[in-house]
Amino acid sequence: MSPAEPMGGAIPLQEPADNAVFPFPYPENAHTIWVNSGRAALQCLLQALPMRPTRVWLPRYICNTLMQATERLQLPTKLYDIDARLYPVIPDDIGREDILVAVNYFGLTPHAVEYAAQAAPCPVIMDATTAFYSPPPAGVAAFYSPRKFTGLAEGGIATAPYELRLQLPQNPDSDYLSRVLLQSCNESNVQQAEDALTAPPCRMGNTTRRLMQSTDWARAGRRRLQNYRTLHDALAEINRLTLPPNPAHAPMCYPLVSGIPELRDALIDQGLRLPLYWPEVIETTDALQTENRLARTLLPLPLDQRYGEDEMRKLIRMILG
């Protein structure tokens, strides 16, 4: 990484090596389908449920695009709180015929999903859109967004303990968008791909399939874990989030909540690209709520497979001085 090159942001799409074949953790079968986005994958899970749920419970700290899935299926949606550990606070009025969506935040809170599966009186679906490498607990459905972990134009995966036999059309724009991103990963192309993800559930495009199946996911996961440990060893003392020192599965980022004033602005001024997860939460929650604080203060530090020890040490110096 050159001194002038920004760090973080969208991961560029890299064309796989010829004949490259790597094991993919979620192959298609009767219980797993590949679609155009994570929100589409959630819609497929809800649509294929053996019984139509009375309500769908979503955490307040979540991207509001997931509500597209419940709105399309005309399912009533309720919101619930999370605590400082990022665990769900199970609502008192949740019913057996409801569905609770529990988030594995950034691939670092699998125990929160396990807790939800045991404590909730209803079936649980794991939101793994930021936890691609984390398998769901036994008997729990899950949906993934592989495009958040490598530079794909589209991509969602739904996997469930029940069959997902749905008749879905092919997305006519998906192959075009994949080729565009492959040629040039710039901001306008990324936004064009994002806009296309509002479409109803479609089958994943052929170009995306090839790219996804040709990615060396194991190598990328190892690099992410190495980078996470480097950051955690240096930043755990200032991090107000309690994070595992050795996560079982590769995370999406290193979520940092510190008491350093204006740290986000200082890092951005130094060339770090830091997304805000999720700005709409700030407008819909009280300033004292956990979700509001997280939306305002959590810094998702990049640790993906583009980077190694040198970049992580540079990032640590940017934070600690």
Side-chain angles (χ1 to χ4, degrees):
M1 185 176 68
S2 65
E5 184 179 350
M7 187 175 179
I11 302 175
L13 183 58
Q14 297 178 341
E15 189 169 15
D18 290 341
N19 301 319
V21 178
F22 303 100
F24 187 72
Y26 310 105
E28 281 190 294
N29 53 47
H31 297 268
T32 302
I33 57 174
W34 296 0
V35 291
N36 48 318
S37 68
R39 72 201 73 165
L42 172 60
Q43 182 173 335
C44 290
L45 291 175
L46 295 172
Q47 188 172 338
L49 280 167
M51 294 183 63
R52 181 179 173 87
T54 302
R55 298 172 296 184
V56 177
W57 290 84
L58 298 173
R60 298 185 192 279
Y61 187 56
I62 203 171
C63 180
N64 63 6
T65 59
L66 289 187
M67 293 187 182
Q68 292 177 8
T70 56
E71 289 170 356
R72 287 191 177 119
L73 296 176
Q74 298 183 330
L75 291 172
T77 303
K78 299 279 286 184
L79 299 179
Y80 69 85
D81 298 329
I82 61 171
D83 63 23
R85 302 171 301 163
L86 307 181
Y87 274 51
V89 178
I90 306 299
D92 292 335
D93 57 336
I94 193 169
R96 294 182 178 276
E97 296 182 354
D98 293 343
I99 290 288
L100 184 135
V101 176
V103 182
N104 182 342
Y105 288 103
F106 314 115
L108 297 170
T109 62
H111 298 305
V113 180
E114 294 170 2
Y115 163 77
Q118 295 173 1
C122 62
V124 168
I125 292 176
M126 180 172 80
D127 178 344
T129 52
T130 61
F132 176 78
Y133 286 89
S134 300
V140 173
F143 59 102
Y144 297 84
S145 182
R147 67 186 187 88
K148 291 183 172 66
F149 286 75
T150 190
L152 301 172
E154 60 162 352
I157 297 171
T159 185
Y162 47 88
E163 291 192 351
L164 300 174
R165 298 192 181 278
L166 301 171
Q167 297 297 320
L168 299 177
Q170 189 77 20
N171 185 352
D173 296 327
S174 59
D175 289 330
Y176 164 73
L177 287 170
S178 295
R179 289 194 296 272
V180 168
L181 281 187
L182 186 60
Q183 293 165 3
S184 174
C185 185
N186 58 44
E187 292 300 325
S188 62
N189 289 341
V190 171
Q191 187 58 52
Q192 185 181 6
E194 288 284 343
D195 293 342
L197 297 176
T198 60
C202 306
R203 293 285 179 182
M204 184 183 292
N206 293 326
T207 302
T208 304
R209 287 170 179 272
R210 174 176 175 265
L211 292 167
M212 193 168 67
Q213 290 175 296
S214 301
T215 297
D216 191 340
W217 293 101
R219 179 178 178 275
R222 289 192 297 269
R223 177 62 63 85
R224 285 175 175 271
L225 282 169
Q226 291 168 358
N227 290 339
Y228 174 89
R229 294 184 186 111
T230 299
L231 292 177
H232 189 68
D233 287 347
L235 302 176
E237 289 189 1
I238 69 166
N239 198 345
R240 294 178 177 178
L241 287 178
T242 301
L243 301 177
N246 293 292
H249 305 285
M252 177 182 175
C253 63
Y254 184 83
L256 176 66
V257 177
S258 78
I260 303 175
E262 310 300 330
L263 180 57
R264 179 185 294 273
D265 291 341
L267 293 176
I268 291 174
D269 289 344
Q270 295 179 72
L272 191 65
R273 291 171 173 167
L274 284 173
L276 195 64
Y277 296 124
W278 287 270
E280 59 269 25
V281 175
I282 300 173
E283 301 175 0
T284 58
T285 56
D286 185 88
L288 298 178
Q289 287 182 264
T290 297
E291 296 84 356
N292 188 290
R293 177 178 57 84
L294 288 170
R296 287 185 288 106
T297 63
L298 187 143
L299 306 180
L301 303 181
L303 49 68
D304 60 77
Q305 56 270 22
R306 291 173 288 181
Y307 308 121
E309 180 79 11
D310 291 344
E311 288 83 5
M312 296 300 100
R313 293 297 173 192
K314 175 183 177 182
L315 182 52
I316 291 166
R317 290 193 298 271
M318 292 166 64
I319 296 168
L320 299 180

